[in-house]
Amino acid sequence: MAAKNTDAHASASNSSITDSEAWQQLKAHFQQNRTLHMRDLFASNPERFHQFHIRLGDILLDYSKNRITDETRRLLIELAKTAGVESWRDKMFAGEHVNLTEDRAVMHVALRNRSQQAMYVDGLDVMPEIRQVLQKMRVFSDAVRSGEARGYNGGRIKSIINIGIGGSDLGPMVVCESMKPYAQRGLNAYFVSNADATHLQETLKQVEPESTLFVISSKSFTTQETMLNADSAKAWFLDLVGSEKAVARHFVAVTNNTEAAEDFGISADNIYQIWDWVGGRYSLWSAIGLPIALYLGMDHFEELLEGAHAMDQHFKTAPLEENMPVIMALLGVWYNNFFDAQSHAVMPYSQYLRRLPAYLQQLDMESNGKTIDREGERVDYLTGPIIWGEPGTNGQHAFFQLLHQGTKPVPADFLVPCISQNPMGNHHRVLVANCFAQTRALMHGKTTSEALDQLREEGVPDDEINTLFAHKVFDGNKPSNTLLFEKLTPKTLGSILALYEHKVFVQGVIWNINSFDQMGVEYGKELAGDIQGELSHREETHSYDSSTNALINYRKGIYYHQQDNNNYDKKS
Ligand code: F6P
């Protein structure tokens, strides 16, 4: 383990958060109020929405449909204070090494700092370097978009293929997917991440080498899947074009490992720098966002940064009780640790946001899927939830049944724009109505008497009512947040993504874990290397457990049998 930064560490001795008075009070409060029904809370307080909402710019967070009272909020805020949320936040913004295990600063907020203020990492103002890279991105993306930078044969670039994985894929991918209305006509963006060659092959089928620009995105430039895809893409290109010289016009890299990118054959001019204080899943704001700049234009990329910066300022300055990321984080802790909710759902009522849940899965689960606290001790409470979701209204016809009548509590976020980018007939009204109807139904439920009345009104005979009515009852009291915003613009999207980043950060602080490493991912990678070795020869494998041995040997049997058949066919 790398040396711990003692400064950042000293004031954070909240490893026994469950022993704190704030936690104990919340526990008692939970016991006393666990049966409160939101239906009654709304009925008894017409001001409930006013009490439990926050506005920032055009974004409205309605968190009134949660199983909380004023007192719950007060106690949760106390918990945040006890855990040192404000001081950890300030340390992060000040460039302290809050990534304790890797002894690094966590400064993605500097990447979208739109003020003139300096931001320091290890005593160095990082803003000049950030601005330099942004400028380099602008020059290049402008040139590609205007047709000034062309392919090796003088034709325009029409396709951008990002090759990366994890944060070097999901961030730029979710933005490009969500911001399609802002894309330049005639320019397509593709994202290739999977080691399965199908991903690359199916993408390559859609493009021509002479009009394709590959962006090899990898902070480390060593990630197996990315290097595999990058090598295969280059081989495909060379095979069709036949000129090494042409590579310079068609391959650029975004990395912290310039040497490896140069070894790959990318010239220094075509390498865009990211820094070690940018975590993979927090990197879309850096040059990892190059595909965004290319696809949407640098002005739109900068609007995205502005939206994130606005959320950063809010997170930094708003009192905790009016602080969107803090409130969302605390609600998550409330359900995770007191109601034992195992998961958290995200339901974008926007087709453009269809990949948001996938992006949030990495952001949240790679950050807070931890069992060891900042002091190296095993935690005795639940940490990060399972994040999942699908766009509404599709989810309604798939898994919403479980949300409404299942046995598991699933707190959920609903995101919906007031205005559609694609107005068409009644579509958007239907979409929005469904979103609001779901959160209302989840909260309110349907009582026994309401179910009985409805069945009677429908003229269902009494004997049928007796067998049916229990199935028609909805308990309700299912919590949700609604994020309602004017329109899905780059600025709004920037704010939303930063909102979730800070939410995850706050939860990590409360759970006393390091949200910025991902050591759990490493073990699988190590083993994959060994198993790859085993798969590359015909001898039977015995070195693992019987299951792993059997799987390896089964695949070898089929694979080598097919190889032999192919060889036989070729010979005959
Ligand atoms: O999955 C582990 C991980 O390290 C992520 O955190 C990161 O986003 C991804 O791999 C890709 O890493 P790189 O950008 O170095 O290729």
Side-chain angles (χ1 to χ4, degrees), residues 165-168 218-220 223 280-281 362 366 518 521 525:
I165 198 164
S168 302
S218 176
K219 183 178 165 186
S220 59
T223 303
R281 51 194 173 275
Q362 189 204 12
E366 199 167 73
Q518 55 285 323
V521 184
K525 284 188 197 168

Side-chain angles (χ1 to χ4, degrees), residues 523 527 531 541-553:
Y523 183 43
L527 263 185
I531 293 177
T541 294
H542 300 287
S543 42
Y544 302 100
D545 56 274
S546 62
S547 159
T548 311
N549 288 339
L551 295 171
I552 293 173
N553 292 328

Side-chain angles (χ1 to χ4, degrees), residues 159 204-213 236-237 240 250:
S159 307
L204 294 177
K205 280 181 199 165
Q206 302 175 64
V207 303
E208 305 294 341
E210 63 271 19
S211 57
T212 299
L213 175 71
W236 170 85
F237 182 83
L240 292 174
H250 293 270

